[in-house]
Amino acid sequence: MSDCILKIIPNAPMFVPSLQAINSLREIEIDIFSHADGVEHKIYEHIEFIDQGSNFERIICPICSSEISMDWWQDSMDRAYTSMFVCLDIETPCCKKACNLNSLKYEESAGFSKIAIEVLNPKENIKKNEFYLVEKMLGCSLRKIWAYY
Ligand SMILES: [Zn+2]
């Protein structure tokens, strides 16, 4: 059987919430995600590419909306990996503008982070007000990644 994982990550790749913030989140997420199979906090030593699994369709330039080739993206990922994804700076291949790998438009959404809140098989989307609450608790803006495996 395939799994759906809702991954919630900070928009800023370097951002890691305080341990206190993460612990207080544990208290409310049981209620927020009571319909899911479980919630896990993944905390990584280095910045990781938080992927969308088989939900990966394409990558779009956020500046000129051109589709970005997978070969170019893979090369850029290899280069960024040499800095452990600390440096994500790129020049877009289409319109030659300064950008970064975290700002590309991934379809479906993806991103770079040292932490991910993973909700296993949620039966429903997180409500807007609860999403804002989680942002407030962690002290950062967040993005949602719907991953399928
Ligand atoms: Zn472009």
Side-chain angles (χ1 to χ4, degrees):
M1 218 186 93
S2 63
D3 282 317
C4 167
I5 302 175
L6 169 60
K7 303 175 182 179
I8 300 172
I9 66 168
N11 268 317
M14 294 293 280
F15 186 86
V16 179
S18 70
L19 201 61
Q20 193 189 353
I22 295 171
N23 285 337
S24 50
L25 181 65
R26 281 187 208 279
E27 290 167 19
I28 65 155
E29 68 193 6
I30 298 166
D31 292 330
I32 295 180
F33 303 116
S34 59
H35 50 79
D37 287 349
V39 184
E40 245 187 275
H41 296 169
K42 296 279 177 71
I43 299 171
Y44 303 105
E45 190 182 344
H46 301 287
I47 297 170
E48 302 270 340
F49 179 62
I50 311 298
D51 72 295
Q52 64 292 72
S54 61
N55 242 355
F56 195 122
E57 287 167 24
R58 57 184 191 153
I59 303 169
I60 303 291
C61 171
I63 299 158
C64 74
S65 299
S66 297
E67 186 167 345
I68 286 173
S69 88
M70 288 311 297
D71 282 348
W72 179 90
W73 183 73
Q74 200 56 60
D75 287 348
S76 301
M77 287 291 280
D78 289 347
R79 207 170 313 122
Y81 186 72
T82 62
S83 73
M84 289 306 196
F85 294 137
V86 171
C87 178
L88 296 170
D89 295 345
I90 52 153
E91 182 183 86
T92 55
C94 34
C95 50
K96 309 285 179 207
K97 295 283 190 337
C99 193
N100 68 77
L101 290 169
N102 196 47
S103 296
L104 297 177
K105 275 175 68 183
Y106 295 91
E107 294 182 356
E108 296 293 327
S109 169
F112 293 82
S113 181
K114 295 180 86 166
I115 178 170
I117 300 152
E118 294 197 351
V119 186
L120 183 62
N121 295 317
K123 304 290 178 290
E124 53 191 71
N125 202 341
I126 180 169
K127 293 181 186 72
K128 251 193 185 141
N129 59 326
E130 291 171 339
F131 188 72
Y132 292 143
L133 179 64
V134 176
E135 283 189 324
K136 211 172 138 190
M137 289 181 84
L138 295 184
C140 63
S141 70
L142 300 167
R143 72 171 70 165
K144 285 190 286 185
I145 298 166
W146 290 95
Y148 286 94
Y149 295 99

